[in-house]
């Protein structure tokens, strides 16, 4: 059951008279329930690949099939619809709306999905509980710690039961103890059957994943099972 099938994806940017080849032919498949880390030095194409996987951008060449739908040539509107349904995003900077409470932030994707208010409240409370924030639901982001804010972002990512959770440097703004807490939360979410793809340049964060893909110069340098966790 392949969630993601990427075949010879290329992404070129025209910068003045120069062409920047951010991805030069990347192929990979990801199965339902996998836990994947994408690593690589700055400029190796991680953000570009995440943007394509997350249906925020389309490739210059190659094919991307997400849950059986070829999304490589879709219009922006169709991409937005697929994105809201299939992908839960977690960012380094949390990206919460400051005027809304934690619960309201987490419920936002349900509004876009047209879910009724009663169902939004029910699902919202359930997911806030699952990230350990039952007692913080009505706080605003500026009344919460970094770790709590990231838990809200994780709740928001989970709320539509997406097929993939995409996390871009999710611990990049957190101290090391809080980073460990957040990674334990991702481990828990993975155990519940979710597919997780996380971009990180930190080796100890990547070690939580069961598969580690390393990019270099827009190409896959290695794509390996993580023996350390696979043994459990
Ligand atoms: P990483 O996330 O690994 O740091 P990126 O995907 O951000 O790598 O960048 C890969 C290459 O593509 C870099 O050379 C970067 O400067 C270039 N690049 C990325 N996005 C753009 C863009 N929107 N316009 C022009 N060049 C870009
Ligand atoms: P990171 O290093 O955290 O992966 P970057 O700073 O490389 O992120 O990129 C952040 C965003 O800016 C990405 O969406 C990327 O596509 C875009 N970007 C990167 N390089 C360029 C560039 N040279 N010109 C325009 N946009 C860029």
């Amino acid at each position: 059951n392949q969630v993601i099938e990427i075949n010879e994806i290329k992404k070129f940017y025209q910068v003045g008279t120069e062409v920047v080849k951010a991805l030069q032919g990347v192929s990979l498949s990801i199965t339902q329930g996998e836990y994947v880390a994408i690593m690589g030095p700055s400029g190796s194409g991680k953000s570009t690949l995440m943007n394509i996987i997350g249906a925020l951008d389309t490739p210059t060449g190659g094919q991307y099939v997400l849950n059986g739908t070829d999304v490589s040539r879709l219009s922006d509107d169709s991409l937005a619809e697929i994105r809201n349904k299939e992908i839960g995003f977690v960012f380094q900077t949390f990206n919460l709306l400051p005027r809304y409470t934690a619960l309201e932030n987490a419920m936002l994707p349900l509004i876009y999905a047209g879910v009724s208010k009663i169902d939004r409240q029910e699902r919202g409370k359930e997911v806030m509980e699952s990230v350990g924030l039952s007692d913080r639901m009505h706080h605003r982001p500026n009344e919460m710690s970094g770790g709590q804010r990231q838990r809200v972002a994780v709740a928001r990512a989970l709320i539509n039961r997406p097929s993939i959770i995409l996390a871009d440097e999710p611990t990049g703004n957190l101290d090391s103890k809080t980073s460990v807490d957040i990674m334990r939360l991702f481990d828990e979410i993975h155990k519940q059957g979710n597919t997780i793809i996380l971009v990180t340049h930190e080796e100890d964060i990547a070690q939580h994943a069961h598969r580690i893909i390393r990019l270099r110069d827009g190409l896959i340098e290695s794509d390996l099972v993580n023996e350390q966790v696979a043994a459990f």
Side-chain angles (χ1 to χ4, degrees), residues 13-15 20-22 40-49:
Y13 295 105
Q14 184 81 40
V15 181
V20 177
K21 298 185 171 182
S42 185
S44 58
K46 301 184 298 295
S47 297
T48 302
L49 181 58

Side-chain angles (χ1 to χ4, degrees), residues 65-78:
V65 178
L66 171 59
N67 266 328
T69 304
D70 186 344
V71 296
S72 26
R73 308 281 177 275
L74 288 184
S75 69
D76 287 351
D77 283 352
S78 311

Side-chain angles (χ1 to χ4, degrees), residues 67-205:
N67 266 328
T69 304
D70 186 344
V71 296
S72 26
R73 308 281 177 275
L74 288 184
S75 69
D76 287 351
D77 283 352
S78 311
L79 280 181
E81 198 176 307
I82 289 216
R83 194 157 64 226
N84 194 49
K85 189 163 128 247
E86 306 278 357
I87 319 243
F89 292 95
V90 178
F91 304 95
Q92 180 172 356
T93 52
F94 321 135
N95 290 15
L96 302 176
L97 298 178
R99 290 175 187 277
Y100 290 86
T101 66
L103 178 62
E104 287 165 347
N105 268 284
M107 292 190 304
L108 277 177
L110 295 178
I111 294 181
Y112 299 129
V115 175
S116 75
K117 191 168 178 183
I118 283 184
D119 291 345
R120 289 203 301 268
Q121 294 282 348
E122 188 178 333
R123 175 70 183 143
K125 285 176 183 159
E126 176 184 296
V127 89
M128 290 300 279
E129 205 163 297
S130 76
V131 301
L133 286 180
S134 312
D135 57 344
R136 291 288 183 279
M137 287 198 277
H138 305 297
H139 288 58
R140 285 177 216 284
N142 67 3
E143 300 165 330
M144 308 179 90
S145 68
Q148 289 170 344
R149 289 182 208 188
Q150 196 58 304
R151 282 172 188 272
V152 176
V154 171
R156 181 186 54 194
L158 286 168
I159 202 149
N160 265 339
R161 299 191 174 84
S163 32
I164 311 167
I165 307 290
L166 269 188
D168 194 354
E169 301 278 3
T171 61
N173 271 344
L174 302 174
D175 62 51
S176 46
K177 186 186 168 295
T178 311
S179 296
V180 171
D181 288 345
I182 289 293
M183 290 317 297
R184 288 205 182 115
L185 178 60
F186 278 112
D187 296 350
E188 194 60 40
I189 289 164
H190 170 250
K191 279 198 198 117
Q192 288 160 9
N194 291 288
T195 309
I196 298 177
I197 305 175
L198 78 100
V199 167
T200 181
H201 61 267
E202 291 175 73
E203 202 62 54
D204 53 337
I205 297 294

